[in-house]
Amino acid sequence: MPEGHIVHRIADDLNGYFAGKPVTVTSPQGRFTQDAMTISGQRLRLATAVGKQLFIEFENDLTLRIHLGIYGKWQFHQSSESPAIVGEVRARFSHGKVFADLRGPTVCEVVDQDSVRMVLRKLGPDPLNANPRQAESRRFINKVLKSQSSIGLLLMNQEVISGIGNVYRAELLFRAGIEPHTPGSALSMEQVQALWNDSVKLMRVGAKTGFMITRESLFGKNPRKEDRNYVYKREGQPCRNCKTSVSIELMAARKLYWCSRCQK
DNA sequence: AGGTTATGCCAAT
DNA sequence: TTGGCCTAACCTC
């Protein structure tokens, strides 16, 4: 159940364990067997994360594209014996003593390079792939500033910015003091640039720790889940800043959390 | 044991 | 906008 920072961590793990090595790929569950046979035994060239999408490229130029969706998870094992299959394992990677099990992905398919390019073309810039010159941030800013739709929706739109999900959406807007229903076009360029910069900052914390810690005072610590955020999943509880009861509503079928006093 | 929930997304309406 | 996908964890009874 990841936002983009987790997918980047998975790409790093996969590269650490398997890059440059021939990987045995199976599908204990059976749903992925046909595709698995096309890459099994090939050397894994590189795993790359873009937003919430994971691309695992093999030496025969085929790429395994994975999207974890809301349920998907990877689990890594190190063992001289093959670990028992527990539950529905869509795909298992193995090389030597390392095993990686994938469960519950929305997408798990082998595709060619053209198909990868088509997917990539649709994705907005990823804060975790930002280069130092901030060239990508301009794409994000331009799209937001000319859109009539709300910033709450825009931050969840992977064609606008990739890798942000429901937690970071709520927390970014709280930290910026922006009311989630504000149209993109009503924001200033400085506000949108600041949102981008903050997304880079927060997602780097997430990628480094594995946790979505968004309260400045808790950076570098290991807080309990219920302490990590300002407004996410805190409906009805007092705002950590002004004590106003945190608001909740459904926006495009997802729960939106915000403080009606701090975010105007 | 059964019900609810989730950091997501798409096709159908 | 709604339903469906698909899995495990975390409730409640």
Side-chain angles (χ1 to χ4, degrees):
Chain A
M1 306 179 283
E3 299 191 23
H5 66 298
I6 292 292
V7 183
H8 280 258
R9 287 171 66 87
I10 292 164
D12 289 346
D13 286 345
L14 288 170
N15 286 325
Y17 290 127
F18 299 119
K21 295 169 181 152
V23 179
T24 301
V25 183
T26 60
S27 180
Q29 179 197 50
R31 284 184 53 183
F32 177 61
T33 302
Q34 294 299 315
D35 277 13
M37 291 190 308
T38 67
I39 50 175
S40 188
Q42 298 286 320
R43 287 180 191 277
L44 191 157
R45 204 177 269 156
L46 187 68
T48 306
V50 182
K52 298 167 191 168
Q53 307 251 356
L54 178 62
F55 301 92
I56 307 170
E57 192 187 344
F58 290 85
E59 64 181 337
N60 60 358
D61 290 339
L62 292 177
T63 295
L64 173 54
R65 179 172 80 95
I66 290 165
H67 194 301
L68 293 175
I70 204 165
Y71 315 116
K73 271 190 169 66
W74 282 91
Q75 185 177 37
F76 292 86
H77 307 268
Q78 299 214 49
S79 155
S80 46
E81 304 276 302
S82 184
I85 300 297
V86 177
E88 298 285 317
V89 178
R90 181 78 59 87
R92 168 170 279 185
F93 280 21
S94 64
H95 172 84
K97 294 184 170 184
V98 183
F99 298 82
D101 289 347
L102 171 66
R103 292 183 179 79
T106 289
V107 176
C108 176
E109 61 175 6
V110 173
V111 295
D112 63 19
Q113 293 173 320
D114 277 349
S115 174
V116 170
R117 276 190 284 272
M118 280 177 54
V119 174
L120 289 178
R121 211 169 39 223
K122 293 207 80 171
L123 289 172
D126 178 342
L128 286 175
N129 290 336
N131 72 31
R133 306 200 57 132
Q134 297 259 35
E136 308 86 337
S137 73
R138 251 160 274 146
R139 280 175 63 207
F140 169 66
I141 293 167
N142 289 340
K143 278 190 182 172
V144 170
L145 289 180
K146 67 181 191 192
S147 172
Q148 306 304 304
S149 81
S150 69
I151 187 63
L153 283 177
L154 289 167
L155 286 176
M156 295 285 275
N157 183 340
Q158 303 299 303
E159 297 182 21
V160 175
I161 182 170
S162 63
I164 303 290
N166 206 18
V167 180
Y168 283 131
R169 180 258 298 265
E171 297 294 302
L172 283 166
L173 290 173
F174 178 85
R175 286 165 58 92
I178 295 172
E179 211 283 339
H181 303 85
T182 312
S185 58
L187 297 171
S188 69
M189 192 191 303
E190 289 71 26
Q191 280 180 301
V192 184
Q193 178 73 62
L195 274 176
W196 172 267
N197 293 348
D198 205 36
S199 73
V200 173
K201 180 175 180 177
L202 289 186
M203 293 190 77
R204 281 181 181 165
V205 171
K208 184 169 181 179
T209 64
F211 304 120
M212 286 186 276
I213 301 164
T214 55
R215 294 171 68 193
E216 205 77 27
S217 60
L218 298 178
F219 286 175
K221 299 200 168 79
N222 187 11
R224 296 175 307 173
K225 209 167 200 175
E226 58 268 34
D227 294 334
R228 287 177 195 158
N229 307 122
Y230 288 106
V231 291
Y232 176 72
K233 237 177 183 179
R234 296 194 63 248
E235 73 272 24
Q237 298 177 57
C239 170
R240 300 193 194 277
N241 186 37
C242 75
K243 311 296 179 214
T244 298
S245 174
V246 171
S247 301
I248 184 170
E249 73 171 39
L250 282 182
M251 179 183 264
R254 305 301 304 282
K255 288 179 179 177
L256 169 67
Y257 305 86
W258 81 103
C259 172
S260 60
R261 181 179 168 112
C262 293
Q263 297 174 248
K264 296 285 191 190

